[in-house]
Amino acid sequence: MIKEYIGLNEIAGSLAVLDGVKNPGYEEVVEFNVADGTKRKGRIIRIDGERVVVQVFEGTKGLSLKNTSTVPTGRPMELKLSEEILGRVFDGAGRPIDGFGEIYPEVLRDINGSSINPVSRVYPRNYIATGISSIDALSTLIRGQKLPIFSGYGMKHNELAVQIVRQAKITGASSDNFAVVFAAMGVKNDVADYFRRSFEESGVLSKVVMFLNLSDDPIIERTITPRCALTAAEYLAFEKGMHILVVMTDMSSYCEALREFSSSKGEIPGRKGYPGYLYSDLASLYERAGMIKGKEGSVTQIPILTMPNDDITHPVPDLTGYITEGQIVLDRSLDSTGIYPPVSILPSLSRLMKDGIGEGYTREDHSSLANQLFSAYAKVQDAISLASVIGEDELSDIDKKYLEFGRAFENRFINQGANENRSIEETLDLGWEILTLLPESELDRVSDELIEKYYRR
Amino acid sequence: MSNNKIFGINGPVVTVADTKDFSMQEMVYVGREKLVGEVISIDDKLTTIQVYEVTTGLTPSEPVEGTGSAISVTLGPGIIKNIYDGIQRPLREIAEKTGEFIERGCFAPGIDEHTLWDVTVTAKVGDELCGGEVYATCPETESIIHKIMVPPGISGKVTFAAADDHYTVNTKILEITDKSGKVHELTLCHKWPIRTARPIKKRLPCTVPLITGQRVIDTLMPVAKGGTAAIPGGFGTGKTMTQHQLAKWCDADIIIYVGCGERGNEMTQVLDEFGELIDPRTGRKLTDRTVLIANTSNMPVAAREASIYTGITLAEYYRDMGYAVAMMADSTSRWAEALREISGRLEEMPAEEGFPAYLPSRLAAFYERAGRVTTLGSDEGSVTVIGAVSPQGSDFSEPVTQNTKRFTRVFWALDKSLAYARHYPAINWTDSYSEYDGDLADYYNNNVNLSFMDYRRQLLSLLHEESKLMEIVKLIGADVLPDDQRLVIDIARVIRVGFLQQNAYHKDDTYVPLEKQFLMMKTILHLYEKGKALVASGKPVAGIARSGILEKLIKMKYDIPNGSPEMFDDYITEIDSVINELMAK
C-alpha cells in the first residue's frame, strides 16, 4: 500500500519536516509531488517517532507547506546499473541527461556501498605507468590506490588529470576492460566540457561514465554525486571485472556542500565550520578504492581538490591526506614559471610506491634513485634560501652545484609536454643523468653498485 | 521479552522512548537484524543508544532488546593471530559468511568455539584459588603459552578439575566453590567489559626499556616496558610506518595492533607482511604474537570508538598472564573524532574545536591502563601503549595532541621537513623527548655499556649545538664558521644521516641491536674527539671531510652487519690513522 502525505510541516534551508509518518526507514528515499507537476527526491536523515526530517536533493525553492505531497519509496538511495552505463552521461543524482533514455537496470545498488572487509582486500602492488616523470619516478601511482591531486584555483590540475587518464597503462588492462568514471562536483560548465572533449579526442569517450553536478546544479545533490560514481565504479570493477580509473573533481566543492547541509541541520561544527564527521564522510568515499581477493577488476581513484588559498593545512586537503595513500601537490611558483606539470616534489608522496617499484615491477634502482632525488632536491631548497640572503655568488661550490642541479631537475625532469609519454626507463635514466651534475660524494642514498652501474656511465 | 521499540534515529544514535529497562553502558540488540549497540545516556523520556553498525533502513517500532551486561570481549585461547573489528568480531569468519563486503547484523563469536586446545590443568581439587591465578595452560601458538586464569572477583576452593586433554573453549574445566557455597563453573574463556580496567596487585616502576631496534628511539628517546608514548605527525610523516616498525621489531611478547579509523590497505599490508616476517627472537612468524584490530575509516564510527578499549582489554588480559604486551593504536585522533561525532549527535555542549569536554579525562583513563605491574597471580607483566596522533593541519597545539602530551611520557614528534627530505624515521630530535631516560639509565649502563648514557648525552648536545649553529649558517653560510664549529656541523651531519636516519627496507638496518647502536655512537664520538685534537693543534678541519672518513662513517650502518661488532675496531684504527696523517701535514 502506497501512502501519500499531503503537505509539509516545516521547511528550513534544504530540509523539509513531516509529521505523522508511519514507519519511516532511516535514509529512505521519498518523492515529492509538487503542485506545479514537478517531482523532487529527498532522503530521510533524522527520525523522531513519527516526525521525520527530509533532505531535499533539488532544494526547497518553490515548496510550500501546502503545495507538496510526499510519497515514501521504502528503499534507500539506489542507482540503476548495467553495462549500458558505459559512454553515458548522468546528472549528480544518477539520472541520464544525455537524451538517450533511461538505463534498463540489471541490478540496483545502494549508493552508500558497504565497507570492504580488510581481510578480503588485495594489497596493491602493480604500478600504473602514466608516462609523467614526476609521478612515475617519485610518487608512483599503483593500481587500486587513491592518489589525490592537491591543486589551487587556476593551476593545471585538469590537464594533468586528463593526461593521466590518456596515458595510464594499467597492468592487466586492455582496451576491453579499462574504463573511466568521471564525477564532477560543482565544477564550471566549461571544465566539464573540457574533460568531455579530451576524452573524445583520446578516443575513450565510449568507455567513460560521467556524473555531472555542475556549479549551478543543486548543492545537496552534490553530496550524493561521488557516491553514485563510486557505486558505478564498484559495479564495473567487481562484477564486470574491469579496471576503473575514477576521477573526482572538485572535492573541495563537495565538502562545501556538506558544510552547507550540516549547518542547515544545525550541527555543531568542527574546524572552519566543516562538520565534525568530515573525516568519516570522506573516508566513506576514498576507502572505496582498492582490489578484492578473487576479483579481476580494480578501482583506482584520482580525486582532485583545490586548496583554498593554496593552504595545505585547510581541513579538506588535510583530512584527505590522512585518508588517501599519498598526494600529488601542485605548486604555484612552478606553475607560474611555466613548468608543466607543476608537481611540487617534496610534499608529494605515494605511500604504496615502496612495494610496487623496484626489481620485477619497474627497475632495481628506482627506489634508491627516487630517495636520492628527493634528498638532493631538499638540499636545493636550503641552497636557494641561503642564496636569497647572501646572494648566489657567495655560495660555496657545492651549494652552487646544487642550484644548477635544481634548475636542471625542474626544467628537464619535472617539465614535460602535455602529450609527452616517457617510458619508465627514459624517466629513470633522465634522473641519473641529472644527478651527474652533483659530485659522487653527495650521493648518500644509493649503493656503490648502483653508482657504478648508472652514475658513472 | 520486552517491548521496547526504536523511537528516533540520527546517524549511529538511536533512541528508545519511555523505558526504564536499560542500564548505562549495557549492550543491546537494535532492530530485527540485531545490530549491536551500547546505552550511552538515560533520562526519564529517552534512552540513547550508540549503534556499532550502519543504521540505514532502520525504522521506528523495530524492537530493542537488552542483554543485561556491559559491552565486553571474550577472553580465552584463540585470540592471537586473529583479526577483529572494533567489537571483537573476527573478520575472517565474517568474510566467510558474508563475502568481501561487510554486511551488517553479522555475528561470529570472538574466539573459535570448535578448536580443540591441548590443555594442561594445573589446579587440583582442594586447591584454594583466587581471581587472576592460573588453573590451566595450553599452547596458543608456537611461541605463546596461554595461561587460563580464574576471572578476577572469583575465589574459593576447587571442587572439580578436569583431566589433561583436548578441550574446546566452552568446556567446563574447573569448579570453584566460594565461601558462600556458590559454585562457579570455569571454562577456558570468560567475558570482561571493555571499559573496565582489569585489576592488578601492584604497580611497578618502569625500569626496563622496550627495545625496538630503532636507533633514534632506543638511544635518544627510549620508551619503557609499561610506558606510554605518543607519535604525533601530519600526514605523510610516517606515523604508520613507525608503528609498523615497532610492531615488527620491539621485544614485547605480544603485540596488539589497533588500526583505528585508518586505511584498509594498511591493515592488509600488516596481514601480508607479518605473515611472512620472522621474529628474530623466537624464530617464529610475527603473526604468532600479533593480534590485529581493524576498524578502518569507512567502518561504523561507534565501533571505532570501542576499538581502542577492545585493544587495551586484550592487552591487559595477556599482561595478566605475565607477558610484556605492546599495544599500538593508530590513530588515537580518529578515536577522539569518533567521540566528537557521537557527542555532536547527542547535542552536548562542545569544548575546544567541537571536541567534548570529557576528552582529556577519557584520554587519561585510557593511557593509565598501561603500566608494568605485579598481576593478581603474582606474575610480572606490562602493557606499553604507543598511540599515534594525527593533528589537524599538522598543528601540535590542537586539543588531541596537547591532551595526549599531558598523559604520555614519551613524545616522538614527527617532522614534515624531515619527511620531505625522506629522512626516516622523521622523529624530530629537538621537539621530542622521553621522560624515562632517568629510570632507564641503570638498565643501559649495566646491560650495554657503562658509558652508554654519557655517550647519549654527548650525542644530544652535539645535535643541539648544531641546530643553534644552523641558524647562523642559514644567514651567512657555513664557510665563515670557525673550525671548531665546522667540526660540530660535520659530526652532527654524520649523526643525523649515519645514525638517526634508518632504512626500514635494508636487511640489517631495519633492526639494529643495542650493542651495535652503542658502537656506532662510540665510533662517531671517537672521530669527534680526534677532530677536536686536530683543531686544537691548529690544522684545518676541512681535511677530515676531504679524507672521505665522514662518508665512510655514514655508511657504516650498511657496511657493518649486525653480528660483527669486531669490525668497528677497524673503523677506530682508520680514524686514528686519518687524523695522524692530517696532524703530520
Side-chain angles (χ1 to χ4, degrees):
Chain A
M1 187 184 67
I2 295 171
K3 282 210 187 76
E4 187 165 353
Y5 298 92
I6 309 291
L8 298 171
N9 292 76
E10 215 179 298
I11 304 173
S14 58
L15 303 178
V17 181
L18 267 121
D19 269 341
V21 182
K22 302 279 181 241
N23 258 340
Y26 186 68
E27 301 212 311
E28 173 181 346
V29 171
V30 298
E31 273 178 7
F32 296 99
N33 295 310
V34 191
D36 61 8
T38 58
K39 283 193 177 207
R40 295 185 200 191
K41 272 192 177 178
R43 179 166 58 173
I44 296 177
I45 54 159
R46 182 175 182 147
I47 301 176
D48 286 300
E50 297 192 337
R51 183 184 173 88
V52 300
V53 181
V54 184
Q55 164 196 30
V56 186
F57 294 142
E58 290 89 345
T60 50
K61 195 177 162 201
L63 294 189
S64 82
L65 297 185
K66 282 196 302 195
N67 72 355
T68 310
S69 66
T70 312
V71 185
T73 61
R75 318 250 343 150
M77 186 73 192
E78 284 170 324
L79 190 68
K80 293 176 185 167
L81 292 166
S82 82
E83 264 181 282
E84 287 172 42
I85 59 173
L86 285 170
R88 300 290 303 270
V89 183
F90 301 87
D91 72 358
R95 286 171 294 232
I97 48 169
D98 50 5
F100 295 118
E102 283 287 322
I103 296 289
Y104 181 72
E106 183 188 287
V107 285
L108 287 171
R109 283 275 179 274
D110 182 348
I111 61 160
N112 289 312
S114 315
S115 21
I116 303 178
N117 192 326
V119 301
S120 302
R121 279 182 184 269
V122 176
Y123 185 66
R125 280 180 187 276
N126 290 81
Y127 95 112
I128 297 178
T130 64
I132 299 165
S133 294
S134 44
I135 296 177
D136 283 354
L138 300 173
S139 27
T140 319
L141 180 63
I142 305 288
R143 186 173 81 188
Q145 188 177 20
K146 38 196 179 289
L147 187 66
I149 300 176
F150 287 10
S151 182
Y153 305 116
M155 284 203 273
K156 296 198 171 56
H157 43 267
N158 295 331
E159 286 79 353
L160 180 59
V162 163
Q163 189 174 4
I164 293 175
V165 168
R166 195 173 51 227
Q167 299 181 354
K169 277 198 276 303
I170 303 183
T171 348
S174 62
S175 57
D176 297 338
N177 62 356
F178 169 76
V180 177
V181 172
F182 176 77
M185 291 155 281
V187 302
K188 294 184 285 281
N189 252 303
D190 46 354
V191 172
D193 197 50
Y194 169 78
F195 274 98
R196 210 186 53 80
R197 237 184 14 249
S198 313
F199 292 146
E200 197 169 4
E201 278 162 16
S202 47
V204 291
L205 193 61
S206 63
K207 291 280 181 185
V208 179
V209 190
M210 294 182 106
F211 292 86
L212 302 180
N213 173 283
L214 303 177
S215 48
D216 52 352
D217 285 340
I219 289 209
I220 298 304
E221 216 171 81
R222 200 165 294 162
T223 60
I224 57 174
T225 308
R227 294 191 163 76
C228 291
L230 289 165
T231 308
E234 279 175 355
Y235 165 78
L236 292 173
F238 302 132
E239 286 176 44
K240 299 293 161 193
M242 302 182 81
H243 295 282
I244 309 294
L245 207 55
V246 184
V247 178
M248 301 193 285
T249 179
D250 167 350
M251 293 308 292
S252 306
S253 302
Y254 167 80
C255 295
E256 275 160 24
L258 208 61
R259 174 167 68 178
E260 188 173 330
F261 167 54
S262 158
S263 76
S264 74
K265 265 165 67 179
E267 288 172 338
I268 295 164
R271 259 173 88 218
K272 292 208 175 177
Y274 288 94
Y277 51 79
L278 184 62
Y279 177 84
S280 306
D281 189 277
L282 285 174
S284 71
L285 302 177
Y286 296 139
E287 279 290 321
R288 291 172 81 172
M291 287 184 296
I292 294 181
K293 278 182 194 151
K295 304 263 178 175
E296 194 56 21
S298 63
V299 175
T300 309
Q301 284 185 16
I302 304 180
I304 300 174
L305 56 91
T306 45
M307 300 181 279
N309 210 8
D310 296 349
D311 176 11
I312 199 169
T313 66
H314 183 277
V316 179
D318 190 49
L319 294 180
T320 298
Y322 276 122
I323 306 163
T324 54
E325 285 137 353
Q327 62 277 333
I328 294 171
V329 184
L330 303 190
D331 178 74
R332 198 166 291 279
S333 70
L334 281 181
D335 187 56
S336 52
T337 46
I339 287 171
Y340 170 86
V343 177
S344 181
I345 294 304
L346 297 179
S348 298
L349 164 80
S350 163
R351 288 166 192 271
L352 299 182
M353 166 174 172
K354 58 186 191 300
D355 296 309
I357 61 170
E359 215 163 349
Y361 298 100
T362 53
R363 207 165 78 180
E364 89 273 18
D365 57 320
H366 190 159
S367 133
S368 306
L369 172 68
N371 273 331
Q372 186 61 63
L373 287 172
F374 276 124
S375 113
Y377 193 61
K379 286 192 189 138
V380 171
Q381 307 308 312
D382 292 343
I384 290 176
S385 59
L386 185 56
S388 66
V389 178
I390 59 172
E392 217 176 305
D393 292 346
E394 299 295 317
L395 289 181
S396 63
D397 287 345
I398 191 74
D399 280 342
K400 283 181 187 157
K401 287 223 168 82
Y402 268 111
L403 282 190
E404 194 190 344
F405 163 80
R407 275 189 290 265
F409 183 72
E410 286 171 7
N411 289 317
R412 291 171 52 204
F413 190 84
I414 301 181
N415 193 25
Q416 72 183 82
N419 289 311
E420 191 179 347
N421 192 349
R422 291 183 194 154
S423 73
I424 186 73
E425 283 78 21
E426 284 175 307
T427 291
L428 295 178
D429 288 344
L430 184 61
W432 282 108
E433 191 187 321
I434 293 170
L435 269 185
T436 53
L437 294 170
L438 295 176
E440 197 181 314
S441 61
E442 288 299 310
L443 305 188
D444 51 4
R445 308 292 172 100
V446 285
S447 67
D448 292 338
E449 300 93 79
L450 290 179
I451 291 183
E452 184 61 41
K453 189 164 171 193
Y454 296 103
Y455 178 82
R456 297 203 187 117
R457 264 205 309 210
Chain B
M1 180 72 199
S2 68
N3 42 7
N4 292 308
K5 306 238 178 285
I6 297 178
F7 175 75
I9 307 161
N10 180 11
V13 174
V14 165
T15 51
V16 180
D18 301 322
T19 174
K20 290 185 175 146
D21 294 345
F22 300 109
S23 49
M24 278 296 275
Q25 302 191 349
E26 180 180 347
M27 180 170 136
V28 293
Y29 292 117
V30 177
R32 284 180 210 103
E33 290 172 278
K34 291 201 166 208
L35 311 182
V36 178
E38 180 182 10
V39 177
I40 50 173
S41 90
I42 301 177
D43 64 25
D44 57 346
K45 289 202 179 60
L46 290 179
T47 297
T48 311
I49 296 163
Q50 62 173 345
V51 180
Y52 291 122
E53 299 195 58
V54 182
T55 50
T56 302
L58 277 187
T59 62
S61 82
E62 284 192 54
V64 178
E65 275 174 54
T67 61
S69 58
I71 187 120
S72 28
V73 287
T74 310
L75 301 171
I79 292 174
I80 293 183
K81 285 193 187 178
N82 230 320
I83 171 166
Y84 292 117
D85 80 346
I87 48 172
Q88 212 206 8
R89 280 181 298 198
L91 288 171
R92 286 199 194 92
E93 278 77 2
I94 299 260
E96 276 166 27
K97 283 190 172 174
T98 68
E100 303 83 15
F101 292 92
I102 300 177
E103 304 288 332
R104 64 177 190 187
C106 184
F107 175 79
I111 49 182
D112 189 79
E113 290 171 342
H114 306 293
T115 313
L116 285 170
W117 299 98
D118 183 7
V119 180
T120 311
V121 180
T122 53
K124 295 184 298 293
V125 173
D127 286 359
E128 286 284 345
L129 285 182
C130 61
E133 288 184 331
V134 177
Y135 60 86
T137 61
C138 69
E140 182 169 4
T141 67
E142 287 182 32
S143 51
I144 299 292
I145 296 288
H146 195 101
K147 299 174 189 163
I148 294 127
M149 297 166 291
V150 180
I154 295 177
S155 62
K157 199 173 220 162
V158 177
T159 44
F160 163 80
D164 295 356
D165 203 346
H166 289 76
Y167 297 110
T168 63
V169 286
N170 289 326
T171 323
K172 183 174 81 173
I173 300 294
L174 208 68
E175 259 178 26
I176 289 187
T177 312
D178 64 17
K179 283 205 179 82
S180 62
K182 193 178 169 209
V183 179
H184 299 270
E185 291 190 0
L186 303 182
T187 61
L188 293 181
C189 65
H190 67 276
K191 289 198 178 259
W192 189 263
I194 59 171
R195 295 185 202 276
T196 310
R198 287 175 66 87
I200 52 164
K201 198 173 264 177
K202 198 174 85 186
R203 276 183 178 268
L204 299 172
C206 301
T207 48
V208 182
L210 182 78
I211 296 162
T212 64
Q214 312 302 308
R215 287 182 293 259
V216 60
I217 291 175
D218 287 350
T219 302
L220 295 189
M221 288 97 181
V223 61
K225 286 210 173 91
T228 50
I231 314 183
F235 61 83
T237 49
K239 283 184 301 300
T240 304
M241 196 57 218
T242 312
Q243 293 269 38
H244 283 192
Q245 280 297 97
L246 297 181
K248 278 181 203 164
W249 304 120
C250 80
D251 67 340
D253 301 312
I254 309 274
I255 304 289
I256 313 277
Y257 193 97
V258 185
C260 171
E262 289 287 312
R263 305 175 184 88
N265 278 336
E266 276 169 6
M267 296 316 293
T268 315
Q269 184 194 0
V270 174
L271 277 177
D272 282 10
E273 254 181 45
F274 283 31
E276 289 163 16
L277 285 171
I278 298 295
D279 183 346
R281 290 166 310 118
T282 59
R284 308 281 180 205
K285 280 186 184 161
L286 276 176
T287 38
D288 277 8
R289 62 163 193 176
T290 311
V291 185
L292 290 175
I293 296 175
N295 213 90
T296 57
S297 53
N298 57 341
M299 283 155 79
V301 70
R304 189 194 304 168
E305 193 263 333
S307 64
I308 292 275
Y309 295 104
T310 301
I312 193 93
T313 309
L314 297 183
E316 286 175 341
Y317 177 61
Y318 282 95
R319 172 203 68 194
D320 289 348
M321 295 179 205
Y323 289 117
V325 185
M327 166 173 165
M328 282 81 194
D330 184 14
S331 139
T332 57
S333 292
R334 304 301 161 224
W335 168 76
E337 277 166 19
L339 272 188
R340 172 167 74 182
E341 189 172 334
I342 305 282
S343 157
R345 303 264 187 192
L346 297 178
E347 291 167 7
E348 291 171 338
M349 182 68 87
E352 277 174 280
E353 299 205 17
F355 286 105
Y358 47 78
L359 173 72
S361 56
R362 292 279 173 91
L363 273 172
F366 164 65
Y367 281 109
E368 278 303 301
R369 288 174 78 170
R372 181 162 161 258
V373 303
T374 305
T375 65
L376 291 181
S378 302
D379 232 330
E380 189 192 305
S382 66
V383 173
T384 313
V385 175
I386 298 165
V389 182
S390 320
Q392 302 168 349
S394 309
D395 170 13
F396 285 2
S397 67
E398 58 96 41
V400 183
T401 316
Q402 281 307 311
N403 286 312
T404 305
K405 210 170 174 176
R406 279 165 66 193
F407 305 120
T408 55
R409 291 183 64 195
V410 179
F411 192 72
W412 294 318
L414 298 183
D415 188 321
K416 240 180 182 157
S417 60
L418 288 177
Y420 284 178
R422 298 326 188 242
H423 173 115
Y424 291 120
I427 296 176
N428 182 308
W429 46 91
T430 49
D431 297 345
S432 308
Y433 59 83
S434 165
E435 289 176 16
Y436 293 109
D437 52 353
D439 299 344
L440 300 176
D442 284 345
Y443 178 92
Y444 282 108
N445 287 340
N446 298 335
N447 291 287
V448 191
N449 193 294
L450 274 175
S451 321
F452 194 97
M453 291 315 269
D454 179 45
Y455 284 179
R456 170 182 179 271
R457 190 190 47 73
Q458 291 186 42
L459 219 62
L460 276 171
S461 78
L462 273 169
L463 287 168
H464 280 279
E465 205 171 326
E466 186 212 20
S467 68
K468 269 188 280 173
L469 291 175
M470 285 316 266
E471 300 288 311
I472 306 172
V473 172
K474 268 185 196 143
L475 288 177
I476 52 173
D479 290 350
V480 292
L481 291 180
D483 266 9
D484 56 338
Q485 297 186 342
R486 291 192 62 180
L487 179 68
V488 170
I489 288 200
D490 282 343
I491 298 293
R493 186 172 77 91
V494 176
I495 298 173
R496 278 191 291 113
V497 185
F499 189 82
L500 298 183
Q501 196 177 309
Q502 195 163 345
N503 188 344
Y505 303 108
H506 188 278
K507 66 175 173 39
D508 279 322
D509 208 32
T510 185
Y511 173 87
V512 180
L514 282 184
E515 191 193 10
K516 183 174 167 191
Q517 297 190 21
F518 171 75
L519 289 170
M520 286 175 73
M521 239 184 347
K522 183 178 165 193
T523 312
I524 296 171
L525 290 171
H526 182 75
L527 176 62
Y528 179 55
E529 289 305 320
K530 289 285 169 185
K532 272 204 294 199
L534 183 76
V535 172
S537 68
K539 301 282 194 258
V541 75
I544 298 183
R546 266 199 298 276
S547 69
I549 187 78
L550 296 175
E551 265 60 38
K552 183 145 193 198
L553 288 198
I554 285 175
K555 287 197 170 144
M556 70 183 163
K557 58 182 171 183
Y558 302 132
D559 297 342
I560 303 180
N562 283 342
S564 316
E566 71 288 348
M567 284 176 71
F568 282 96
D569 296 341
D570 304 344
Y571 279 70
I572 300 275
T573 324
E574 187 169 342
I575 290 170
D576 289 346
S577 73
V578 164
I579 299 291
N580 287 341
E581 230 169 78
L582 291 171
M583 287 279 212
K585 267 185 194 166

